[in-house]
């Protein structure tokens, strides 16, 4: 087995002291080590394949450079990947790693997971949810540097990074209004989901600005519900010219309903989804509003790392804008 390269090896290769190697590789060399020697140390470390001893560094600076993440179904769900990817990449840029523990929806295990992460001396905690969730952090969680991701504290005491669902609902409806539609039906998600009410508020604001009244029907989140309710809406005498949907799966059901009824999209009816599901929306040419999962993960880590320094967390909700994806399912109404 090859011997592990040490900082002494790097020092010998670069022709400097071991302390100089430590200062350069730990970012403390400016003003103390010449630029020439800094370059020599970095090049020597690269040639030798030197990797700093993180455990030794942790003992010196009393940090683990680890962030503990407790999640609900984000690890196994459809939308968790980009959120964790954004958080992981951003953490790595600051020489931190994420330690993720997924409860698979079993909230009764949160206390167990918090204890396990704290026993591993994590520097901070993140609670991450797949869908926007209200979560009241327990006292042991609040005592540590922490942040919520795609979740919010009902009391406002903890900072939560969430997407701007109200603005998202507004932008989804504006896609139809800006194309000239005035007869619009919204097929909403279930009322037990926080995002439903927020998106509905944005939808109603857009309609109010346009001076029109639309129709809202509770639909749900799956393709079969979009097909069933979409069929009823599109075969009715008062068929709308535009339909805005709870998510892209519902929109896929509405597109299928239109095809079965012999209606053309977007010539006879325009359809807007939500989520920008990579497995649905691009393939169907669906205009939709995205959820910025990756950007939310990045923002959460930025804020948490800042709080480990001298920055203070803002408290309450930190909202990340929702992007609009314009594709081929929206056009001006033909009637």
């Amino acid at each position: 087995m090859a011997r592990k390269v040490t900082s002494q090896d790097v020092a010998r290769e670069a022709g400097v002291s071991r302390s100089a190697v430590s200062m350069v590789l730990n970012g403390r060399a400016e003003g103390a080590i010449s630029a020439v020697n800094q370059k020599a140390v970095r090049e020597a470390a690269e040639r030798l394949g030197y990797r700093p001893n993180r455990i030794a560094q942790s003992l010196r600076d009393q940090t683990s450079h680890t962030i503990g993440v407790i999640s609900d179904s984000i690890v196994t769900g459809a939308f968790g990947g980009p959120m964790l990817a954004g958080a992981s990449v951003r953490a790595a840029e600051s020489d931190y790693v994420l330690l993720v523990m997924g409860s698979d929806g079993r909230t009764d295990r949160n206390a167990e997971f918090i204890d396990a992460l704290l026993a591993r001396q994590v520097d901070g905690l993140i609670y991450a949810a797949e869908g926007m969730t209200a979560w009241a952090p327990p006292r042991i969680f609040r005592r540590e540097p922490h942040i919520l991701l795609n979740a919010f504290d009902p009391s406002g005491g903890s900072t939560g990074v969430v997407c701007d669902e109200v603005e998202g609902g507004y932008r989804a409806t504006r896609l139809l209004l800006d194309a000239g539609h005035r007869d619009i039906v919204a097929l909403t998600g279930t009322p037990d989901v926080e995002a439903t009410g927020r998106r509905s508020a944005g939808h109603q604001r857009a309609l109010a600005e346009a001076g029109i009244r639309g129709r809202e029907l509770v639909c749900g989140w799956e393709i079969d519900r979009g097909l069933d309710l979409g069929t009823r809406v599109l075969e009715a005498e008062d068929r709308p010219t535009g339909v805005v949907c709870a998510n892209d799966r519902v929109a896929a059901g509405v597109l299928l309903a239109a095809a079965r009824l012999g209606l053309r999209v977007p010539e006879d009816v325009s359809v807007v989804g939500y989520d920008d599901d990579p497995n649905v929306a691009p393939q169907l040419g669906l205009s939709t509003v995205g959820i910025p999962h990756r950007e939310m993960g990045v923002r959460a880590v930025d804020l948490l790392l800042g709080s480990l320094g001298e920055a203070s967390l803002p408290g309450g909700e930190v909202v990340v804008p929702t992007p609009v994806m314009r594709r081929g399912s929206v056009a001006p109404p033909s009637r």
Side-chain angles (χ1 to χ4, degrees), residues 262-331:
L263 298 174
R264 299 167 302 163
V265 176
E267 292 84 357
D268 299 318
V269 60
S270 289
V271 180
V272 175
Y274 205 103
D275 287 346
D276 194 27
D277 187 328
N279 297 314
V280 178
Q283 292 85 343
L284 296 177
L286 184 64
S287 292
T288 187
V289 171
I291 297 180
H293 289 104
R294 190 179 189 91
E295 292 79 4
M296 291 160 60
V298 170
R299 184 74 172 127
V301 170
D302 273 339
L303 289 168
L304 182 57
L305 293 181
S307 73
L308 296 178
E310 297 182 355
S312 58
L313 289 170
E317 294 182 14
V318 174
V319 294
V320 180
T322 48
V324 174
M325 310 303 295
R326 291 178 171 83
R327 298 190 178 99
S329 65
V330 175

Side-chain angles (χ1 to χ4, degrees), residues 185-189 215-236 240 243-246 250 253-254 257-258 261:
V185 166
L187 304 184
T188 73
R215 290 174 280 164
E216 283 195 23
L217 302 173
V218 175
C219 180
W221 308 101
E222 301 304 327
I223 291 177
D224 58 347
R225 292 296 299 138
L227 173 59
D228 291 344
L229 197 52
T231 299
R232 284 166 44 194
V233 167
L234 295 180
E235 68 181 1
V243 181
V244 59
C245 303
V250 168
V254 173
L261 294 170

Side-chain angles (χ1 to χ4, degrees), residues 45-323:
E46 181 68 25
R47 282 196 302 273
L48 297 176
Y50 173 72
R51 295 293 178 269
N53 187 328
R54 173 53 63 199
I55 295 175
Q57 290 180 354
S58 296
L59 291 173
R60 286 196 298 270
D61 60 21
Q62 296 298 297
T63 66
S64 66
H65 277 243
T66 303
I67 297 171
V69 181
I70 302 165
S71 75
D72 54 6
S73 58
I74 193 172
V75 175
T76 56
F79 297 105
M83 198 146 52
L84 287 181
S88 297
V89 170
R90 181 64 191 91
E93 290 172 353
S94 295
D95 200 23
Y96 278 77
V97 296
L98 301 187
L99 179 56
V100 183
M101 303 189 73
S103 68
D104 200 21
R106 287 189 54 185
T107 57
D108 59 304
R109 300 197 66 187
N110 284 341
E112 171 191 344
F113 289 163
I114 294 171
D115 285 341
L117 291 171
L118 294 181
R120 286 161 175 79
Q121 302 296 308
V122 296
D123 297 324
L125 293 168
I126 295 176
Y127 175 81
E130 184 181 17
M132 181 185 283
T133 301
W135 191 66
R139 185 176 302 174
I140 189 173
F141 190 93
R142 291 182 189 274
R143 285 203 299 258
E144 306 297 325
H146 69 274
I147 200 162
L148 313 185
L149 175 55
N150 208 20
F152 63 95
D153 180 358
S155 73
S158 295
T159 301
V161 175
V162 298
C163 73
D164 196 340
E165 295 281 19
V166 176
E167 188 67 15
Y170 175 85
R171 290 178 173 179
T173 304
R174 287 273 13 148
L175 279 169
L176 294 174
L177 292 171
D178 292 345
H181 293 270
R182 293 298 179 267
D183 190 354
I184 297 171
V185 166
L187 304 184
T188 73
T190 52
D192 60 307
V193 174
E194 176 69 25
T196 298
R198 298 190 182 205
R199 294 175 191 177
S200 179
H203 170 69
Q204 292 297 331
R205 175 161 65 89
L207 293 179
E209 286 180 0
I212 64 175
R213 296 182 62 183
R215 290 174 280 164
E216 283 195 23
L217 302 173
V218 175
C219 180
W221 308 101
E222 301 304 327
I223 291 177
D224 58 347
R225 292 296 299 138
L227 173 59
D228 291 344
L229 197 52
T231 299
R232 284 166 44 194
V233 167
L234 295 180
E235 68 181 1
E237 290 186 5
D238 58 348
R239 169 169 58 87
T241 64
V243 181
V244 59
C245 303
N247 63 11
D248 296 335
R249 295 192 299 275
V250 168
V254 173
L255 294 178
L256 181 56
R260 290 184 177 182
L261 294 170
L263 298 174
R264 299 167 302 163
V265 176
E267 292 84 357
D268 299 318
V269 60
S270 289
V271 180
V272 175
Y274 205 103
D275 287 346
D276 194 27
D277 187 328
N279 297 314
V280 178
Q283 292 85 343
L284 296 177
L286 184 64
S287 292
T288 187
V289 171
I291 297 180
H293 289 104
R294 190 179 189 91
E295 292 79 4
M296 291 160 60
V298 170
R299 184 74 172 127
V301 170
D302 273 339
L303 289 168
L304 182 57
L305 293 181
S307 73
L308 296 178
E310 297 182 355
S312 58
L313 289 170
E317 294 182 14
V318 174
V319 294
V320 180
T322 48

